[in-house]
């Protein structure tokens, strides 16, 4: 299944923070005419997140809209929409809450909810959303926990979590 291979390659590129290459792979997967509606939805939702990372907000919104309107609502789709909606924390929060309602143990939905709460300056709630058992090695979550501690004035705790994020593969420019 070639479109699925391109989807997997795009996931790998996104994980390595090579959003441009990830988008190229997703475009190739869509060009091949994905037959399975669920796979198409996954590709479009990942493309929405990648395009948002590339700061193409209009194209990101278009990909999310197509993924959302054409197929079923899934926690993963909603979490990606929430992560891509952080310029509007209320939309991000409501979308992430819906994802959590559908699947309370979904890690991506929990991370999306934590980011939305952080943007709304609801720091204790954001920390609670990032249950350490779920995110002990997730570099994005560790960086966010560090950011929350820093905002709360706990600089040493923030430095510790940022170091863990860097050690676990986060190559965010803020941590280098």
């Amino acid at each position: 299944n070639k479109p699925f291979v391109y989807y997997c390659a795009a996931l790998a590129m996104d994980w390595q923070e090579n959003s441009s290459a990830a988008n190229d792979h997703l475009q190739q997967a869509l060009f091949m005419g994905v037959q399975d509606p669920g796979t198409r939805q996954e590709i479009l939702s990942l493309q929405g997140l990648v395009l948002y990372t590339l700061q193409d907000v209009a194209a990101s919104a278009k990909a999310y809209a197509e993924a959302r309107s054409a197929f079923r609502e899934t926690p993963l789709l909603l979490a990606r929409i929430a992560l891509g909606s952080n310029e509007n924390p209320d939309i991000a929060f409501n979308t992430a809450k819906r994802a959590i309602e559908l699947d309370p143990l979904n890690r991506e939905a929990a991370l999306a909810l934590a980011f939305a709460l952080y943007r709304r300056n609801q720091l204790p709630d954001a920390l609670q959303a990032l249950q350490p058992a779920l995110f002990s090695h997730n570099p994005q979550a560790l960086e966010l926990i560090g950011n929350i501690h820093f905002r709360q004035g706990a600089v040493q705790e923030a430095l510790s979590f940022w170091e863990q994020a860097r050690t676990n593969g986060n190559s965010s420019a803020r941590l280098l």
Side-chain angles (χ1 to χ4, degrees), residues 8-60:
C8 292
L11 281 174
M13 292 296 110
D14 186 51
W15 184 255
Q16 295 172 358
E17 296 187 9
N18 188 344
S19 299
S20 185
N23 190 48
D24 290 344
H25 287 298
L26 293 167
Q27 283 296 105
Q28 187 65 31
L30 290 170
F31 177 75
M32 297 181 93
V34 181
Q35 300 301 314
D36 176 58
T39 302
R40 183 170 175 79
Q41 181 183 42
E42 291 294 319
I43 291 169
L44 287 165
S45 69
L46 180 58
Q47 185 177 44
L49 186 60
V50 167
L51 289 167
Y52 180 81
T53 302
L54 291 170
Q55 299 180 350
D56 190 342
V57 177
S60 172

Side-chain angles (χ1 to χ4, degrees), residues 11 48 50 54 59 65-66 83 96 99 128 132 139 154 161:
L11 281 174
V50 167
L54 291 170
E66 186 178 345
L83 286 169
Q128 185 177 354
F161 279 99

Side-chain angles (χ1 to χ4, degrees), residues 3 9 27 34 37 56 66 68 84 89 92 94 141 144-145 151-152 167:
Q27 283 296 105
V34 181
D56 190 342
E66 186 178 345
R68 193 173 200 176
N94 291 330
L144 180 57
I145 293 169
R151 270 202 191 168
Q152 292 177 326
T167 302

Side-chain angles (χ1 to χ4, degrees), residues 146-159:
N147 294 348
I148 293 167
H149 283 300
F150 184 78
R151 270 202 191 168
Q152 292 177 326
V155 176
Q156 290 303 316
E157 288 88 347
L159 290 171

